[in-house]
Amino acid sequence: MNEIREKKVWWPDPPAIKEFVVKSPWIAEKHRAGQFVILRVSDNGERIPLTISDSNIEDGTINILFQEVGATTMALGRLNEGDKINDLTGPLGRPTHIEKYGTVVCVGGGIGVAPVHPIARALKASGNRVISILGARTRGILIYEDLMRKTSDEVRITTDDGTYGRHGFVTDELKEMIKSGMKIDLVVAIGPPIMMKMVCKVTEPYKIFTYASLNTIMVDGTGMCGACRVTVGGKTKFVCVDGPEFDGHQVDFDEMMARLRQYVEEEKIAREICQKNTCGVK
Amino acid sequence: MIEEKKEMKEKKPKIPRQQMPEQDPHKRARNFQEVTYGFTEDLSSTEALRCIQCKNPLCIDGCPVTINIREFIKKIKEGDILGAAKVIKKSNLFPAICGRVCPQEDQCEAVCVVGKKGEPVAIGRLERYVADYEAEHGTFEMPEMLPKTGKKVAIVGSGPAGLSCAGDLIKMGYDVTIFEALHKAGGVLVYGIPEFRLPKLIVKRELDYLEKLGVEIRLNHIIGKIRTVDELMQRDGYHAVFLANGAGLPQFMNIPGENLNGVYSSNEFLTRSNLMKAYQFPEYDTPIKRFKNVAVIGGGNTAMDSVRTALRLGADNAYIIYRRSRDEMPARKEEIHHAEHEGVKFILLTAPVRVIGNEKGWVTGLECVKMELGEPDATGRRRPVPIKGSEFIMNLDAIIVAIGTNANPLVAQTTPGLELSKWGYIIVDDEKTCRTSKKGVFAGGDIVTGGATVILAMGAGRKAAKSIDEYLKTV
Ligand SMILES: Cc1cc2nc3c(=O)[nH]c(=O)nc-3n(C[C@H](O)[C@H](O)[C@H](O)COP(=O)(O)OP(=O)(O)OC[C@H]3O[C@@H](n4cnc5c(N)ncnc54)[C@H](O)[C@@H]3O)c2cc1C
Ligand SMILES: Cc1cc2nc3c(=O)[nH]c(=O)nc-3n(C[C@H](O)[C@H](O)[C@H](O)COP(=O)(O)OP(=O)(O)OC[C@H]3O[C@@H](n4cnc5c(N)ncnc54)[C@H](O)[C@@H]3O)c2cc1C
Ligand code: SF4
Ligand code: SF4
Ligand code: FES
């Protein structure tokens, strides 16, 4: 259990992007689009949430794709094929509500493309027309393009530096699609909080229902601690059990972004220790 | 004979209740080592002398698991400490834990006969002494195990209720698997109650014991997510399920500013510190903030644990804000005293109104209002009512909310046919049988009663084991 079957390095330079295929038959079987796991790399490790970006019931495996932004993801990235993840629990969160909406736009920013993937696939399988907008800083770090092409009727790409697709942000592309008169029934946005906030700003005036998948700080992931709480429509919600997806127009993104910055100083200390190679995996 | 009796009568009252040695309050307020050291051999034998071996020992009825207290104290008097341990273990599997955390003053010691005229026998401390002695000097003895029945039971949750149920069932010949959501077993004993009150080694010892008996503990398995209760029974072939998933859902106050940075549930604060060992950051990866001015809202054990943890993390000012008066505080008396000696400040008859923050989203203060006690409410306690115009502001950088917990709905939501109270607690037909409305499914501990005590949860686990055994004999 929890054994890493395959490792893929999508982008080697810091912050590196890596993907694992992990043996976990029970989670693979239960997993639905939109759900995530919480893992720990070592016995003194932190619990961190990562979305299940793909799964294979026959092999009993799940995929996780992550960017090495801090101590835990860096320690995780050092594991290799054959290693075991210390603790792995899931599937957590509510699955995405899948039905036939009509035309759905799936927006994935940065590594947010990975969590969007199973949702796009499920929406497609339910008869929706799926148009995906994938955004990356630069061409080299664009992930999951092939998979997204398979699960979408159409894929549009934007890069911040113009090395691939449209030169600009995912929101530029989305705005243009809306302005062109395309009828959009649902938008799903996953990426950095600021991106999700901006996507919601774009869709709000047109009353296009928009799901945002929130990536708050979490501890247990079972509704026990409240670390993951956000304000949605004026009410406090726990992202780990009530989410991770919410009606993006109701989410207080500013509060959420402030809460994500709670441990910046400590994260820096931990990252430096990790860079000196004295942390994590034993 | 007459002479002797007279002598005894004179001698008894002379021995005062023995004090337990403890760390100096100033020192301990800055470290996470256990506060109390426990009785020495001398202290325990002296304390044991205070027990008059009542013909009709009321103390036993005061103990929720009816430990034969008179008998174990008699063994201490005889110097047979391992014998005393045997007596205790007949009723209580985890005496080293209960001896430390039971609210004895409301239970066994509340009714001890000696306590009528003076201070009661220190039953809890004696129990702890015996348990610690046994751990140090006893050898592992396989208890009597009944032949395997070929039936298996799943237990959801590894808190005191789940563990004690597992301990009994395995001895009755059942295969037992505990499914635990977190990466460590023990429930509140490991994520909630701090090291300085209950060293985690002690919990570990009890878990090791259960594993030696053959109990399987599957960590990182959240029932309701990875498997439902129905799947456990229909697919995995468990013949019965015991739900002991506790009452772990934190309550918040629903006042403005509650999601500012620096406001925590006691569950988060304690989980970071205890389960994740954040007080040893960066040796352990999980961070916790070392705040200077911290207020904890509430008056229970959880509030005391939180405020004392904040102090140990380096707070200059650590406050308890409680809306009633000191007498109504539900925490163990010993913990309140310890907190006070360590320098915790109590702000009583006060309730929070609104959290104040800065432009960066961090807490800077708390507006409170003074309260007075009005008419008694449904619980018989006088209801606190706000005094108009008495609002005041405290400057703080962290607020920890410890006003209680609710039932976590993950299991209930995914188990059709399970009858719940309007607060989401699982309804059982009576607390002796622990039977739920669903066939083959039993429940006990905090998930039935709401937040209660370790010993009550253990008691429920044992009753459930008995009831499950009866049930499985009929199917
Ligand atoms: C439901 C959910 C699903 C997620 N799915 C993925 C995923 O599929 N792939 C992936 O790479 N990441 C995902 N994340 C984010 C991931 O959990 C964080 O990147 C991780 O916790 C960082 O841990 P660390 O110790 O490596 O870095 P830290 O030292 O904790 O943080 C380093 C930096 O990352 C930021 N950060 C910290 N925690 C989070 C967070 N929870 N979300 C976003 N940024 C954070 C910090 O502000 C800081 O700048 C998800 C988060 C949630 C809540
Ligand atoms: C901070 C604090 C201090 C306390 N101090 C004292 C004290 O001094 N004395 C005293 O007598 N009592 C004290 N109590 C109360 C006491 O700890 C509880 O009453 C007791 O632990 C309840 O036991 P339980 O077995 O019912 O549940 P818990 O101890 O809550 O255990 C439940 C377990 O189930 C797990 N779980 C939950 N959902 C699932 C799921 N879906 N699948 C799998 N596992 C799941 C949880 O992770 C947990 O490990 C304190 C409580 C707290 C929070
Ligand atoms: S278990 Fe608790 S109530 Fe029972 S004798 Fe021990 S301390 Fe007293
Ligand atoms: S009631 Fe007190 S004095 Fe009597 S047997 Fe129990 S502990 Fe001893
Ligand atoms: S992470 Fe603890 S309640 Fe959501």
Side-chain angles (χ1 to χ4, degrees):
Chain A
M1 280 260 270
N2 305 359
E3 187 191 318
I4 298 167
R5 286 296 170 84
E6 278 171 54
K7 175 176 182 173
K8 173 166 180 172
V9 178
W10 283 92
W11 182 253
D13 303 328
I17 300 175
K18 296 176 183 170
E19 181 174 8
F20 289 163
V21 177
V22 186
K23 182 89 182 171
S24 187
W26 285 25
I27 299 181
E29 185 196 316
K30 268 292 167 123
H31 158 245
R32 298 286 171 274
Q35 291 186 297
F36 60 97
V37 291
I38 282 191
L39 58 79
R40 269 191 346 146
V41 179
S42 65
D43 258 341
N44 51 7
E46 186 171 9
R47 296 168 66 95
I48 65 153
L50 294 174
T51 308
I52 302 170
S53 61
D54 207 347
S55 61
N56 185 324
I57 297 186
E58 280 101 75
D59 296 348
T61 57
I62 58 167
N63 292 41
I64 48 174
L65 187 148
F66 57 96
Q67 188 163 29
E68 297 187 0
V69 292
T72 308
T73 42
M74 284 159 110
L76 185 65
R78 287 190 196 150
L79 298 181
N80 288 308
E81 276 167 29
D83 289 341
K84 279 185 180 168
I85 296 175
N86 213 65
D87 295 286
L88 182 69
T89 180
L92 297 166
R94 289 175 193 255
T96 309
H97 180 74
I98 303 288
E99 61 172 58
K100 189 163 176 195
Y101 297 90
T103 300
V104 180
V105 176
C106 291
V107 185
I111 51 152
V113 176
V116 153
H117 166 250
I119 299 173
R121 185 170 58 189
L123 286 166
K124 177 80 187 139
S126 302
N128 291 284
R129 176 164 168 249
V130 176
I131 303 175
S132 297
I133 308 177
L134 315 182
R137 210 173 63 233
T138 184
R139 178 167 196 162
I141 60 170
L142 182 67
I143 53 161
Y144 270 34
E145 185 185 341
D146 291 352
L147 285 175
M148 290 305 285
R149 287 201 186 277
K150 263 190 229 156
T151 55
S152 317
D153 293 277
E154 200 186 312
V155 170
R156 302 185 177 205
I157 288 164
T158 68
T159 48
D160 299 3
D161 63 358
T163 44
Y164 190 30
R166 182 194 189 108
H167 187 172
F169 298 123
V170 288
T171 39
D172 299 331
E173 189 66 32
L174 181 62
K175 247 185 250 166
E176 198 178 287
M177 285 163 67
I178 297 172
K179 289 235 171 85
S180 77
M182 182 190 282
K183 189 179 165 295
I184 301 172
D185 301 291
L186 175 75
V187 170
V188 179
I190 310 186
I194 186 69
M195 181 210 94
M196 294 193 279
K197 178 180 168 176
M198 290 311 179
V199 167
C200 292
K201 276 224 165 113
V202 169
T203 55
E204 196 167 13
Y206 302 94
K207 302 208 165 51
I208 303 172
F209 193 87
T210 305
Y211 274 130
S213 180
L214 306 185
N215 49 0
T216 51
I217 294 175
M218 294 187 177
V219 182
D220 60 304
T222 68
M224 182 267 273
C225 77
C228 60
R229 63 197 195 278
V230 287
T231 305
V232 182
K235 290 208 179 81
T236 293
K237 297 278 175 190
F238 288 6
V239 173
C240 69
V241 286
D242 301 324
E245 282 158 19
F246 295 97
D247 173 354
H249 299 148
Q250 305 290 323
V251 172
D252 183 342
F253 280 104
D254 295 336
E255 176 191 273
M256 177 191 154
M257 288 189 268
R259 289 185 63 78
L260 268 173
R261 285 192 294 269
Q262 271 181 90
Y263 295 99
V264 274
E265 291 139 45
E266 289 81 0
E267 284 158 357
K268 198 164 154 253
I269 296 171
R271 193 159 49 232
E272 277 161 10
I273 293 175
C274 217
Q275 278 155 348
K276 284 191 217 127
N277 238 334
T278 48
C279 76
V281 195
K282 285 191 195 148
Chain B
M1 188 62 196
I2 293 170
E3 276 299 311
E4 231 180 82
K5 233 185 181 169
K6 208 172 143 199
E7 206 183 288
M8 270 175 69
K9 260 192 191 150
E10 278 166 9
K11 223 162 122 192
K12 292 293 168 195
K14 276 200 207 126
I15 309 177
R17 182 172 156 112
Q18 299 299 294
Q19 292 304 311
M20 187 158 48
E22 56 187 42
Q23 272 196 69
D24 173 75
H26 294 290
K27 279 208 193 110
R28 72 176 190 239
R30 299 293 175 205
N31 71 47
F32 280 85
Q33 279 131 42
E34 192 171 12
V35 165
T36 52
Y37 295 125
F39 274 170
T40 58
E41 191 185 332
D42 281 352
L43 288 170
S44 80
S45 49
T46 310
E47 183 65 31
L49 287 177
R50 298 184 63 233
C51 167
I52 55 173
Q53 294 287 308
C54 306
K55 274 226 177 60
N56 180 14
L58 296 176
C59 53
I60 298 181
D61 295 330
C63 169
V65 295
T66 57
I67 292 179
N68 192 337
I69 296 167
R70 182 184 61 187
E71 187 63 20
F72 98 72
I73 298 183
K74 184 160 161 255
K75 295 274 184 201
I76 300 180
K77 288 186 187 205
E78 292 164 359
D80 178 10
I81 311 298
L82 292 178
K86 276 213 179 102
V87 173
I88 296 176
K89 284 218 161 155
K90 268 190 214 149
S91 320
N92 182 353
L93 287 181
F94 311 120
I97 297 170
C98 296
R100 285 174 167 82
V101 303
C102 250
Q104 294 98 2
E105 72 266 18
D106 302 326
Q107 299 178 353
C108 52
E109 293 179 16
V111 288
C112 166
V113 174
V114 173
K116 298 240 157 79
K117 281 204 188 116
E119 286 198 278
V121 175
I123 302 169
R125 293 172 185 176
L126 288 173
E127 183 179 358
R128 167 180 169 175
Y129 171 75
V130 168
D132 288 354
Y133 181 95
E134 193 215 11
E136 214 177 298
H137 302 273
T139 47
F140 173 76
E141 258 178 62
M142 201 67 178
E144 196 194 331
M145 307 278 280
L146 295 180
K148 284 284 171 201
T149 61
K151 290 191 176 134
K152 52 183 200 170
V153 182
I155 295 178
V156 181
S158 64
L163 295 179
S164 63
C165 184
D168 278 0
L169 285 172
I170 196 95
K171 286 190 254 176
M172 293 170 178
Y174 296 100
D175 282 331
V176 182
T177 313
I178 300 180
F179 293 92
E180 168 54 49
L182 296 170
H183 59 265
K184 242 190 213 155
V188 171
L189 305 178
V190 296
Y191 80 70
I193 304 182
E195 181 75 17
F196 57 81
R197 209 146 71 73
L198 178 65
K200 300 306 154 229
L201 262 178
I202 291 170
V203 184
K204 174 95 187 4
R205 206 160 71 199
E206 307 305 355
L207 291 167
D208 288 348
Y209 174 76
L210 287 182
E211 285 189 299
K212 272 191 201 143
L213 301 190
V215 173
E216 185 194 1
I217 303 182
R218 286 206 178 198
L219 304 172
N220 300 312
H221 279 69
I222 302 169
I223 299 308
K225 287 291 179 188
I226 197 160
R227 275 290 199 271
T228 61
V229 170
D230 284 327
E231 284 165 343
L232 287 173
M233 299 177 64
Q234 285 154 22
R235 277 188 58 181
D236 302 319
Y238 288 99
H239 298 90
V241 177
F242 178 50
L243 302 176
N245 49 323
L249 201 77
Q251 274 180 40
F252 284 92
M253 302 175 289
N254 294 319
I255 61 173
E258 213 168 4
N259 292 347
L260 285 163
N261 288 351
V263 184
Y264 300 89
S265 74
S266 51
N267 273 4
E268 178 183 355
F269 194 71
L270 291 171
T271 299
R272 280 183 182 274
S273 182
N274 300 322
L275 181 73
M276 307 309 298
K277 299 263 179 287
Y279 64 89
Q280 296 181 49
F281 177 88
E283 195 188 315
Y284 282 74
D285 292 341
T286 306
I288 198 162
K289 290 275 176 192
R290 295 174 177 269
F291 295 107
K292 288 295 164 200
N293 298 293
V294 184
V296 176
I297 319 296
N301 285 321
T302 314
M304 295 307 143
D305 285 345
S306 304
V307 78
R308 295 170 74 198
T309 297
L311 207 57
R312 282 158 174 76
L313 286 168
D316 295 330
N317 294 297
Y319 306 98
I320 283 283
I321 298 180
Y322 183 57
R323 62 195 182 125
R324 302 179 199 252
S325 63
R326 179 174 304 238
D327 293 341
E328 281 103 1
M329 279 207 224
R332 291 178 74 214
K333 295 288 166 293
E334 184 174 294
E335 309 309 334
I336 298 174
H337 290 148
H338 279 152
E340 198 160 34
H341 292 160
E342 288 164 11
V344 169
K345 297 173 190 117
F346 289 80
I347 302 182
L348 301 167
L349 287 164
T350 301
V353 180
R354 141 182 97 96
V355 184
I356 305 163
N358 62 19
E359 65 293 340
K360 287 197 173 138
W362 279 94
V363 168
T364 56
L366 181 68
E367 183 179 319
C368 297
V369 63
K370 286 270 166 211
M371 310 291 274
E372 60 191 350
L373 293 180
E375 296 298 310
D377 63 13
T379 65
R381 295 188 301 180
R382 291 173 66 195
R383 188 196 304 273
V385 280
I387 306 175
K388 273 216 183 77
S390 69
E391 289 80 2
F392 66 102
I393 289 176
M394 289 174 72
N395 292 327
L396 297 168
D397 42 25
I399 294 164
I400 299 164
V401 184
I403 56 171
T405 52
N406 288 325
N408 187 318
L410 282 184
V411 172
Q413 270 169 2
T414 51
T415 313
L418 201 60
E419 206 186 317
L420 305 176
S421 76
K422 70 175 180 202
W423 299 280
Y425 295 112
I426 299 174
I427 295 180
V428 293
D429 62 354
D430 86 59
E431 291 198 359
K432 275 212 186 82
T433 67
C434 299
R435 264 200 310 253
T436 69
S437 54
K438 197 174 166 84
K439 192 160 177 265
V441 179
F442 300 74
D446 281 5
I447 189 60
V448 169
T449 56
T453 62
V454 171
I455 191 67
L456 284 171
M458 286 185 182
R462 303 205 68 190
K463 285 177 192 140
K466 209 165 148 237
S467 176
I468 290 171
D469 181 45
E470 278 159 19
Y471 164 76
L472 288 180
K473 279 182 175 144
T474 66
V475 293

